Amino acid sequence: MNPVNYLYLAALLFTIGAAGVLIRRNAIVIFMCVELMLNACNLAFVTFARLHGNLDGQIIAFFTMVVAAAEVVIGLAIIVSIFRSRHSASVDDAGLLKL
Amino acid sequence: MSFPLLTVTAAVPAAGAVVTAAVPAARRTAAKWLALAFALATLALAGVQLARFDPDSGKPFQLTESHAWIKDFGVRYDLGVDGIAVVLIALTALLIPFVMLAGWHDADPLEGPAPNRRWRPTQGFFALILMVEAMVVISFEATDVFLFYIFFEAMLIPMYFLIGGFGDRAGGRSEEEAAAQRSYAAVKFLLYNLAGGLIMMAAVIGLYAVTAHQLGTGTFSLQEIVQARADGRLHFATVTERALFLGFFFAFAVKAPLWPLHTWLPGAMGEATAPVAVLITAVVDKVGTFAMLRFCLQLFPEASKWATPVIIVLSLIGILYGALLAVGQRDIKRLIAYASISHFGFIILGIFAMTTQGQGGATLYMVNHGISTAALMLVAGFLISRRGSRLIGDYGGVQKVAPVLAGTFLVGGLATLSLPGLAPFVSEFLVLVGTFSRYPAVGIVATLGIVLAALYVLVLYQRTMTGPVRESVRGMPDLRVRELVVVGPLIALLIFLGVYPRPLTQIIDPAVGRTMSQVHKTDPKPDVPTAPTNDVEAAK
Amino acid sequence: MENLIGLLVAAPLLGAGLLLCGGPRLDRAGHWIGTLLAAVSFALGAVLFADLLGRGREDRTLTSHLFSWVPVGGFRADVGFQLDQLSMTFVLLITGVGTLIHLYSVGYMEHDERRRRFFGYLNLFLAAMLLLVLADNYLLLYVGWEGVGLASYLLIGFWQHKPSAATAAKKAFLVNRVGDMGLSIAIMLMFTTFGTFAFGPVLAHATDAGEGRLTAIGLMLLLAACGKSAQVPLQSWLGDAMEGPTPVSALIHAATMVTAGVYLITRSGAIFNAAPDAQTAVVTVGAVTLLFGAIVGCAKDDIKKALAGSTMSQIGYMILAAGLGPVGYVFAIMHLVTHGFFKAGLFLGAGSVMHGMNDEVDMRRYGGLRTYMPVTFVTFGLGYLAIIGFPGLSGFFSKDKIIEAAFAKGGTEGWILGGAALLGAAITAYYMTRVMVLTFFGEKRWQPDAEGNAPHPHESPRTMTIPMVVLAFGSVFAGGLFSINDTFLKWLEPVTGHAEGNSPVSALTVTIGTMVVLVLGVALAWAQYGRRPVPVTAPRGNLLTRAARRDLLQDDFNHVVLVRGGEHLTRSLVYADHTLVDGVVNGTAASVGGLSGRMRRLQNGYARSYAVSMFGGAAVLIAATLLMRAV
C-alpha cells in the first residue's frame, strides 16, 4: 500500500481533532480532540520516517508521546480541579482572566 | 589602572540610595543625615573632578574609563568628561544637597499613626533623590550612546515616583483630588518622556545598524563614530543622518523641553514639591540640552545644520510663548515652570546658533538657570509651605511680615529676569550676542523675552510680596536657619558667577570650540575689525 | 591714582552690602554709615578731580583695568574703568548731590522703621550710577544702567505697602526694560560690526562702519536713552515714580539717573556724528519731550508730579542739545549739571514742604507758606529763578546756549527746533511760577485731613535745610562759574569735541527773545494764580488741561493697547496652551486608549475563539510559506 495514504489519514484525523477543539465545549472532549491531533501528527511523522528512510520522524513521535503523556497528567488535573470548584467542565464557564 | 573617579562619582550616590532606603522606619532623621552625607561626598568628588580636569589639554575627553560591556553588540562602558560635562556634573552635585535640605520635611509621614511599621516614605524620598543624582551624573559622563540611553531613560523611574509619590499637598484641594492630579501629572511626565525615549531607541538601533554595516563591527562609541566619520570610513547617507538626528533630537526636545513638546512640565512642576520641581528643571532637564550639544551636534553635524532653521524658530517661539504664559499664570509654581520653558528656549537657541558665544552662553546658561531657578523655586516652596496655597492671589504684603523671605525671593526673581550683576545675565547676553551675530532678526525678537521676563517676575513679586498685608499672611514666620542655609549660598553663587564667571568660561570655552570645529562652523567676522587680537581669537 | 577709581565705586557698594545684609544691628547707625560712605566717594572724586586738573588738557584720561569679565571665544568683556572729563563731571555731580541727599534723608526718613534699608538702596544706587559713568565699555555700562534701574525700582516702591507705589515701581522697571532692550541690541550691533564694544576702539573706528549700521546703533541707543531719561515715547513712568520718597525723586528722578540718557548719547558722540538720521531722531525726541513735559507740568496739582513734568522737559532740552552734535554736547552736559543743582534743590524744597504739611502733595491745599518756612522758601525760590532762566542764575546760561545752538542747526529745522525751545522756555516760566505761587504765596488753603489732624507747617530740621542751602548756592552760581572764560567748554572739549554754530539769529537776539517769553510766562501765571483766589478743588478745565492732567493720554493709550491687549493675548495663549498644544497630546493619549479599548473586545474569554485565531494564524503562515515557495 502506498504510504502516502497514511498522510491522508493523518490529515483527516488532524482536521477532525481541530474541528472538535473548536466546536465542543466540554473540556474533556476538547482534551481528547487535542490528543487526536497529536496522534495525527505522530502518524505523519512515522510516515515521513518511512518515506525518507531515516529515523528522525520516529524519534520525534516518541517525544510527542512523552509530551502528550505529561500534558494529560497536568491537563486532567486542571480539568478535575475546575470541575470540583464550579461543577462544570464547560470551557465557556472559565472566563475569569477576561478583563 | 588609575582611580576610576568618574565611576565612583556616580557610584557614591547610587550606593547612598541603597543604604538610605535600608534604614529602618523609625530612624527617619538618621536616614536624612545619611543621604545628605552621601550627597556631600558626591559634591566633594565632583570638586575633585573639576580640580583634576585640565581645560587646555586638547583631548576631547578626560578622566576616561573604558571597558567592554556587551561584546556582541559593541556596547562599551565608556566614561569621559569634557568641559561642558564636568561643569554640569558639578552643578548637579551642588544642587542635590540644597534640594535635600529644602525638602527636609517634605516626606515626613503625615500626622497620626503610620499605616504600618514598614512604611518608610522619608527613606524612599531621599533614596530616590540620590538615585536620580547617580543616573544624571552617569548620563553626563557616558560617551557610549547605548550607555547614555539606558540611564537617560532609567532616570524616569525614580522621577516618576518622586512626582507621583511626594506631591504638593497644598492647593486648597482634598487629599484625594490632590492625589489624582499628582498621579495624572506623574503619568503624563512618564509617558511623554517614554515616547521620546522610544523614538530615540529606534535611532540608537539605526545608528548601530549603520555602523555595523559600514565598519564591519557595530559600535555605539561616540569617539569612535566621530573618528570614523573624520577618516571617511563611515559615511551617513543624507536621509539616514537626518532620520537618526530627528530620532535623537525628539527625545532631547521632550526632555529639555522645547515648544511645543513642553506641556508635561508645568503639570509635573506644579504638582511636585518644590525641591522635586527643582530636580526636574534644574537637573534632569539639563540632560536634554546637554545631549543636544554632545550627541546631536557631534554625531550628526550635517543634519544639525539642516534642522537649524526650524529649531531656531521653535526655540524663539518657546522663549516668547513661555514668557507670555508665565504672565498669565495664577499658580506660583506653574509660573516658574513656564519661565523655565522660556529659558530653555534661550538655551536651545544658543546651542543651534552655532557660534562660540551662543554655545558657550548656552552651557553657562544651563548652570546659571539651574542655580537661579533653584533659588526662586525653593523660596517659593518655603512660601507655599507656610500658607498652604500655590495661588498667587492668596498672598499679599509678605514683605512686611517676612522681609528676608521676600528679599531672597526678589533676588531669585531678579536672577530669573537676568539682571546684570547676577549670573544669568552673562549667559543670556552671550546667547543673544551669539544668535544676533548669525541671525540678527532672531536675536532682536529674542530680546523681547527679557522685557517679558521682567513683567512676569515683577508681577509675581508685586502680587505676593507687596501691598497691604493679607489676613491669611499675618503672622507668617520669616526664613528659618535651615532655609537660610539653603538660599544663602545659592544667592552668593549667583552674585559671584555674575561678577566673575571666568572660572566656568575657562573650562567651557575649549570644549565649545571643539564642538564648533566638529560642526565645521566658525564665528562670523566683524565688519570693521578694530583690534588684531580679535581676529586671532576668531580664527582659533 | 588709577586705583582710586575702583574705590570710588566700591565705597557705596560696600555700604549697600553692609546695610542690606547687616540686619537690625545696624538700624541705629545705618543711615550715618550710608552717608559717610557717600561722602567718602565724593572725597575720592574730589581727589581725582584735583589730579586731573594737574594734568595737561589732552592728558586727562585715567584708565583702570580690573579683570577680564566674560571671555568667550572672540567675545571679550572686561571690568575696567575710564575716567575722563566727562565721567569726572558726572562723578562729582553724582557723589556731591548724592551725599547732600543722603544727609537730607537722615532727617526726612527719621520716622521710617525701614530707614536702614533705604540708605542701603541709596548706596546701591550711587554704586550703580558711578559704574555707569565710569565703565570703559558698553557692556559694563549696561550693568550700571540696569543697576540704577533696580535701585530706582526698589526706591520708588520703598513704601510698597501702598499698592500705588508697588505698581509705579513695576511700571518704571518695565518701561526701562524696553529701553534696555535697545541698549542690548545696540551692543550686539557693535559686536557684530566692530568685534568689540569697548569705548576706545568702537568710537575710534566709528567712521569706518557703514552709515546704515551706525544709524541703527544710534537709534537703539536713543531707545535706551528714552527709557532711562523718560523721553517720549517711553516717558510714562516718571510721573508715577513720584510715589517714591522725595529724596529719591530728587536724587534719582531729577539730578542723576534720568540724565543717564544724555550721558549715553554724549559718550557715543562719534557714532551719532556719523549718523545724521539718528541725530534727527534725537533732536525730534528732545523737542517733542521738552514741550510734552512742560505741558504736563502745567496741569498737575501734585507738586512732585509738576516737578516731574518739568524734569522731563528739561531733559528734553539736554537730549535736544546732544542731538545737535558737537555744537551742543558741551551745553547738554552743562545744562545737565546746573539742572542737577536746581532741580534737586526744588525737589528737596518740595519734600521739605510735604514734611511740614503732613505729606500733603496737592498744591491747591498749600498757599502762603513763605512765612512758615523761610529757608525752604528762599532756597526753593532761588531754584525757581534758576530753572526759568532768570539772568545771572545757572539756568540762564545753560538754557540760553541750548536755544542758541538749536537755532544754529540751520534751515527750517533750525527754526522749528529753536522755536520749540523758546516755546518750552515760556511754558517753563509759566508752570514754575504756578508752582511757586500756589505753594508759597496767596492765602492759606490747608485743611485738616480725614483724621482731623490739621497740618502745622514748620521749617524742617537742620539736616534737611543744609543740603537745600548748598544746592541753592549751586543753582545760583554754577552757571556763571562755568561760563566765565568758557571754563566748562574748555574742560569738556577734549572729550566731546566742540564746534561753534553759526546761528541765523545773533546770540543777543536769542537772549532778548528768551527774556521776552520768560516775562510773558511769568506774567500769565501770575495773572491766573496770583491775582485770583485759587479753588481748593481743581476746576474741570478745558480739553487740553484735562488731557495734560492725564499725561496727555499716554497712559490711557498704554492701558488700552499694551495692558488690555497683553492681557487678552496671555489669556488666549493660556487657553490655547491648554486646549490646543496640550490637547494634541491628550488627544493622542485618548485615541490610543480608545483603540486599545476596542482591541480588548477581541479577548472575549471563550477559549474556542482563541483557538480559532491560532488556527487561522497557523493557516495564514503555512499559506504564506507555500506561496513564497511557489514564487
Side-chain angles (χ1 to χ4, degrees):
Chain A
M1 203 165 90
N2 188 350
V4 177
N5 289 335
Y6 293 103
L7 289 182
Y8 290 131
L9 179 61
L12 189 64
L13 286 174
F14 189 89
T15 313
I16 292 170
V21 168
L22 293 184
I23 293 166
R24 301 301 299 261
R25 297 182 189 187
N26 189 310
I28 305 264
V29 176
I30 291 175
F31 201 69
M32 282 160 63
C33 290
V34 171
E35 290 300 315
L36 196 58
M37 288 160 70
L38 284 170
N39 282 318
C41 292
N42 274 350
L43 182 58
F45 274 125
V46 173
T47 310
F48 281 125
R50 169 77 187 220
L51 279 175
H52 295 293
N54 66 11
L55 289 176
D56 291 357
Q58 301 200 6
I59 290 167
I60 291 179
F62 277 111
F63 265 116
T64 316
M65 281 179 211
V66 174
V67 170
E71 189 210 329
V72 168
V73 172
I74 296 168
L76 278 180
I78 293 173
I79 292 169
V80 169
S81 73
I82 285 181
F83 184 75
R84 274 199 190 146
S85 66
R86 46 185 71 195
H87 305 289
S88 153
S90 167
V91 286
D92 288 1
D93 292 341
L96 263 187
L97 279 180
K98 184 185 75 161
L99 205 68
Chain B
M1 201 185 75
S2 60
F3 180 69
L5 182 58
L6 296 189
T7 306
V8 174
T9 314
V12 165
V18 175
V19 174
T20 310
V23 173
R27 311 291 299 276
R28 215 182 311 120
T29 317
K32 294 177 184 175
W33 284 108
L34 200 62
L36 187 62
F38 272 102
L40 289 173
T42 315
L43 178 59
L45 285 165
V48 175
Q49 278 193 23
L50 266 181
R52 295 204 14 211
F53 185 84
D54 171 20
D56 305 314
S57 75
K59 281 186 286 190
F61 294 109
Q62 299 183 34
L63 307 172
T64 48
E65 293 167 33
S66 182
H67 304 281
W69 182 20
I70 310 175
K71 286 215 179 87
D72 294 343
F73 298 111
V75 178
R76 301 188 59 83
Y77 178 79
D78 279 1
L79 301 182
V81 287
D82 56 3
I84 300 168
V86 80
V87 165
L88 289 173
I89 291 169
L91 169 75
T92 307
L94 178 80
L95 286 179
I96 298 290
F98 292 119
V99 165
M100 284 181 174
L101 271 176
W104 204 244
H105 297 302
D106 280 6
D108 287 354
L110 291 170
E111 302 294 316
N116 63 52
R117 281 190 300 119
R118 298 180 62 77
W119 177 240
R120 292 184 297 183
T122 315
Q123 284 84 336
F125 184 72
F126 285 89
L128 286 170
I129 293 179
L130 282 171
M131 188 107 92
V132 173
E133 180 177 22
M135 287 171 173
V136 169
V137 166
I138 207 158
S139 312
F140 285 137
E141 290 170 346
T143 57
D144 185 281
V145 177
F146 194 82
L147 185 67
F148 169 82
Y149 175 73
I150 289 175
F151 288 102
F152 180 76
E153 286 297 287
M155 76 181 77
L156 297 179
I157 300 164
M159 281 316 297
Y160 169 76
F161 287 110
L162 279 172
I163 297 169
F166 301 92
D168 211 339
R169 286 162 192 155
R173 305 165 297 179
S174 70
E175 189 59 32
E176 289 77 31
E177 205 181 330
Q181 289 181 4
R182 196 152 70 212
S183 79
Y184 173 79
V187 168
K188 194 165 181 176
F189 161 81
L190 187 71
L191 286 183
Y192 228 124
N193 282 281
L194 271 182
L198 278 180
I199 292 178
M200 180 180 167
M201 184 162 82
V204 170
I205 294 171
L207 184 70
Y208 177 78
V210 174
T211 53
H213 183 66
Q214 296 194 18
L215 298 176
T217 54
T219 178
F220 291 107
S221 161
L222 177 67
Q223 276 182 284
E224 215 172 304
I225 294 172
V226 169
Q227 189 59 44
R229 291 198 70 173
D231 298 348
R233 283 181 291 139
L234 184 62
H235 175 74
F236 288 134
T238 313
V239 181
T240 321
E241 184 176 345
R242 287 175 186 178
L244 293 180
F245 169 83
L246 287 178
F248 276 78
F249 185 78
F250 184 75
F252 304 150
V254 168
K255 181 87 76 179
L258 176 67
W259 189 88
L261 304 172
H262 63 273
T263 52
W264 62 270
L265 186 72
M269 278 178 74
E271 294 303 326
T273 59
V276 174
V278 170
L279 208 57
I280 297 172
T281 184
V283 177
V284 171
D285 285 355
K286 295 294 181 301
V287 184
T289 44
F290 163 80
M292 288 180 194
L293 207 48
R294 175 172 278 183
F295 294 106
C296 282
L297 255 51
Q298 304 202 6
L299 286 173
F300 315 110
E302 295 310 316
S304 300
K305 278 185 259 183
W306 162 74
T308 296
V310 177
I311 295 171
I312 294 247
V313 169
L314 288 182
S315 46
L316 192 59
I317 294 175
I319 292 171
L320 300 180
Y321 186 89
L324 280 170
L325 267 112
V327 176
Q329 294 303 311
R330 284 181 226 147
D331 174 329
I332 299 176
K333 283 158 88 183
R334 288 178 71 93
L335 189 152
I336 300 174
Y338 277 105
S340 284
I341 291 170
S342 178
H343 289 138
F344 277 110
F346 273 110
I347 298 177
I348 299 172
L349 186 65
I351 293 174
F352 282 89
M354 308 266 184
T355 51
T356 326
Q357 294 86 37
Q359 294 187 346
T363 311
L364 207 55
Y365 211 129
M366 292 183 216
V367 178
N368 294 338
H369 172 255
I371 302 171
S372 69
T373 309
L376 185 64
M377 189 57 146
L378 292 180
V379 180
F382 299 150
L383 181 71
I384 290 167
S385 69
R386 280 165 167 70
R387 167 71 175 80
S389 168
R390 302 194 324 233
L391 295 181
I392 296 170
D394 286 348
Y395 296 88
V398 175
Q399 203 279 336
K400 198 92 179 162
V401 193
V404 181
L405 191 152
T408 49
F409 193 68
L410 182 62
V411 177
L414 292 174
T416 304
L417 62 77
S418 298
L419 189 87
L422 298 173
F425 167 72
V426 176
S427 41
E428 190 160 301
F429 198 80
L430 280 173
V431 167
L432 285 174
V433 165
T435 310
F436 186 85
S437 56
R438 210 179 282 283
Y439 311 99
V442 177
I444 288 172
V445 178
T447 47
L448 274 177
I450 68 174
V451 178
L452 292 172
L455 184 61
Y456 61 70
V457 168
L458 295 185
V459 167
L460 173 64
Y461 183 79
Q462 186 192 355
R463 294 207 185 136
T464 52
M465 299 296 171
T466 70
V469 180
R470 291 280 290 261
E471 204 47 54
S472 53
V473 169
R474 213 172 285 280
M476 181 181 275
D478 212 335
L479 286 190
R480 301 181 179 89
V481 174
R482 168 179 64 87
E483 294 164 336
L484 270 178
V485 168
V486 172
V487 182
L490 290 176
I491 287 178
L493 208 58
L494 281 175
I495 295 174
F496 176 74
L497 289 179
V499 176
Y500 198 64
R502 200 146 168 232
L504 287 186
T505 56
Q506 253 174 348
I507 300 176
I508 294 170
D509 215 15
V512 166
R514 195 167 313 107
T515 310
M516 287 276 293
S517 67
Q518 275 169 9
V519 197
H520 308 293
K521 279 275 192 180
T522 48
D523 288 338
K525 290 260 169 57
D527 305 343
V528 185
T530 47
T533 51
N534 282 338
D535 274 359
V536 176
E537 295 292 344
K540 223 175 21 177
Chain C
M1 228 8 107
E2 281 82 358
N3 299 334
L4 289 185
I5 306 177
L7 283 179
L8 198 61
V9 182
L13 195 62
L14 172 77
L18 269 179
L19 295 178
L20 293 180
C21 305
R25 268 160 296 165
L26 290 175
D27 271 350
R28 287 164 53 92
H31 45 288
W32 289 117
I33 297 178
T35 312
L36 179 74
L37 284 165
V40 165
S41 205
F42 178 65
L44 288 169
V47 170
L48 283 164
F49 181 56
D51 180 69
L52 284 197
L53 283 180
R55 292 160 185 258
R57 273 191 67 204
E58 302 297 329
D59 187 32
R60 286 178 177 160
T61 303
L62 296 178
T63 54
S64 153
H65 182 262
L66 289 191
F67 56 90
S68 169
W69 180 27
V70 192
V72 172
F75 184 94
R76 290 269 174 279
D78 295 339
V79 174
F81 297 127
Q82 172 185 334
L83 182 78
D84 55 13
Q85 292 93 321
L86 181 60
S87 333
M88 193 69 240
T89 312
F90 271 90
V91 166
L92 289 178
L93 177 72
I94 295 161
T95 54
V97 176
T99 309
L100 288 175
I101 284 169
H102 272 76
L103 188 64
Y104 178 89
S105 310
V106 172
Y108 191 83
M109 301 297 284
E110 198 174 352
H111 305 298
D112 199 297
E113 52 177 353
R114 293 163 70 233
R115 180 162 65 166
R116 168 179 59 89
R117 211 174 292 249
F118 181 80
F119 277 84
Y121 294 156
L122 275 188
N123 271 356
L124 178 67
F125 169 76
L126 280 191
M129 190 72 203
L130 288 170
L131 185 65
L132 195 164
V133 297
L134 285 171
D136 74 347
N137 63 69
Y138 282 96
L139 196 64
L140 195 61
L141 180 147
Y142 186 51
V143 176
W145 191 265
E146 287 235 341
V148 293
L150 170 68
S152 154
Y153 168 78
L154 294 169
L155 286 166
I156 295 171
F158 186 73
W159 288 319
Q160 44 184 232
H161 51 90
K162 286 197 294 185
S164 57
T167 308
K170 182 186 70 185
K171 183 175 175 187
F173 196 94
L174 278 177
V175 176
N176 268 299
R177 265 264 152 150
V178 177
D180 297 348
M181 206 178 108
L183 185 53
S184 61
I185 293 174
I187 298 176
M188 293 192 268
L189 272 166
M190 286 176 202
F191 180 71
T192 50
T193 313
F194 304 106
T196 174
F197 34 75
F199 289 150
V202 168
L203 299 176
H205 293 77
T207 42
D208 298 349
E211 192 184 317
R213 192 66 71 90
L214 288 176
T215 307
I217 296 177
L219 289 177
M220 286 298 122
L221 289 175
L222 175 64
L223 179 63
C226 284
K228 195 64 62 190
S229 295
Q231 300 294 295
V232 175
L234 297 180
Q235 86 296 357
S236 64
W237 63 272
L238 187 63
D240 295 359
M242 296 301 130
E243 288 289 343
T246 310
V248 173
S249 314
L251 177 61
I252 300 186
H253 305 117
T256 53
M257 183 188 89
V258 284
T259 57
V262 184
Y263 171 78
L264 184 69
I265 293 176
T266 313
R267 177 58 83 192
S268 315
I271 293 172
F272 283 97
N273 292 346
D277 291 345
Q279 279 188 320
T280 310
V282 175
V283 290
T284 312
V285 165
V288 169
T289 311
L290 82 86
L291 292 176
F292 185 105
I295 293 171
V296 170
C298 292
K300 294 284 183 184
D301 289 329
D302 178 328
I303 184 169
K304 286 177 72 183
K305 292 202 170 165
L307 290 177
S310 155
T311 305
M312 223 183 267
S313 164
Q314 297 300 314
I315 298 171
Y317 274 106
M318 301 172 210
I319 296 275
L320 169 65
L324 295 171
V327 184
Y329 291 135
V330 173
F331 303 127
I333 301 298
M334 188 161 128
H335 193 54
L336 192 155
V337 176
T338 55
H339 173 257
F341 285 122
F342 56 68
K343 188 52 69 60
L346 287 170
F347 264 110
L348 293 189
S352 174
V353 169
M354 286 161 58
H355 197 69
M357 295 290 290
N358 288 358
D359 288 328
E360 176 64 66
V361 290
D362 189 349
M363 291 189 288
R364 291 181 185 275
R365 289 166 189 272
Y366 294 164
L369 287 175
R370 65 181 183 282
T371 48
Y372 295 90
M373 308 178 170
V375 182
T376 307
F377 168 63
V378 172
T379 53
F380 196 94
L382 290 173
Y384 156 74
L385 292 177
I387 193 174
I388 61 172
F390 193 79
L393 272 67
S394 292
F396 168 76
F397 294 101
S398 49
K399 200 190 285 179
D400 207 43
K401 290 281 188 195
I402 293 179
I403 299 173
E404 208 184 307
F407 277 114
K409 176 89 176 165
T412 335
E413 226 180 315
W415 283 106
I416 294 174
L417 294 175
L422 261 185
L423 182 60
I427 307 178
T428 307
Y430 172 79
Y431 69 72
M432 282 313 299
T433 311
R434 175 174 175 267
V435 169
M436 195 68 199
V437 169
L438 284 181
T439 307
F440 293 102
F441 294 92
E443 75 273 31
K444 309 164 202 170
R445 291 186 299 275
W446 59 83
Q447 293 152 353
D449 60 11
E451 288 139 34
N453 302 325
H456 299 285
H458 56 87
E459 189 53 271
S460 300
R462 200 62 67 73
T463 46
M464 288 168 70
T465 49
I466 291 175
M468 285 153 59
V469 171
V470 177
L471 287 171
F473 266 97
S475 323
V476 174
F477 299 113
L481 275 177
F482 290 163
S483 298
I484 298 170
N485 289 335
D486 290 335
T487 323
F488 197 74
L489 184 87
K490 284 180 192 151
W491 160 252
L492 265 188
E493 199 190 342
V495 182
T496 57
H498 183 68
E500 281 303 326
N502 37 2
S503 175
V505 278
S506 73
L508 188 66
T509 325
V510 171
T511 312
I512 293 170
T514 319
M515 286 306 108
V516 170
V517 298
L518 194 162
V519 171
L520 278 177
V522 173
L524 188 63
W526 178 257
Q528 224 174 334
Y529 296 98
R531 306 208 0 229
R532 279 181 276 169
V534 179
V536 174
T537 44
R540 194 152 170 273
N542 59 23
L543 205 60
L544 180 65
T545 316
R546 271 180 286 151
R549 276 189 199 136
R550 300 181 66 102
D551 295 326
L552 294 178
L553 304 181
Q554 236 260 301
D555 270 343
D556 303 75
F557 174 81
N558 286 351
H559 188 76
V560 171
V561 175
L562 296 175
V563 180
R564 285 278 175 73
E567 274 171 4
H568 281 297
L569 179 66
T570 52
R571 216 172 291 153
S572 44
L573 272 181
V574 169
Y575 179 76
D577 193 55
H578 193 71
T579 48
L580 282 181
V581 183
D582 205 26
V584 171
V585 177
N586 288 343
T588 316
S591 60
V592 170
L595 192 66
S596 51
R598 228 158 275 160
M599 300 277 280
R600 205 176 61 187
R601 302 250 173 86
L602 293 177
Q603 314 286 317
N604 55 12
Y606 293 115
R608 270 168 297 136
S609 59
Y610 302 153
V612 168
S613 60
M614 259 169 68
F615 280 116
V620 169
L621 269 181
I622 290 169
T625 322
L626 290 179
L627 264 176
M628 292 296 281
R629 282 257 177 95
V631 178

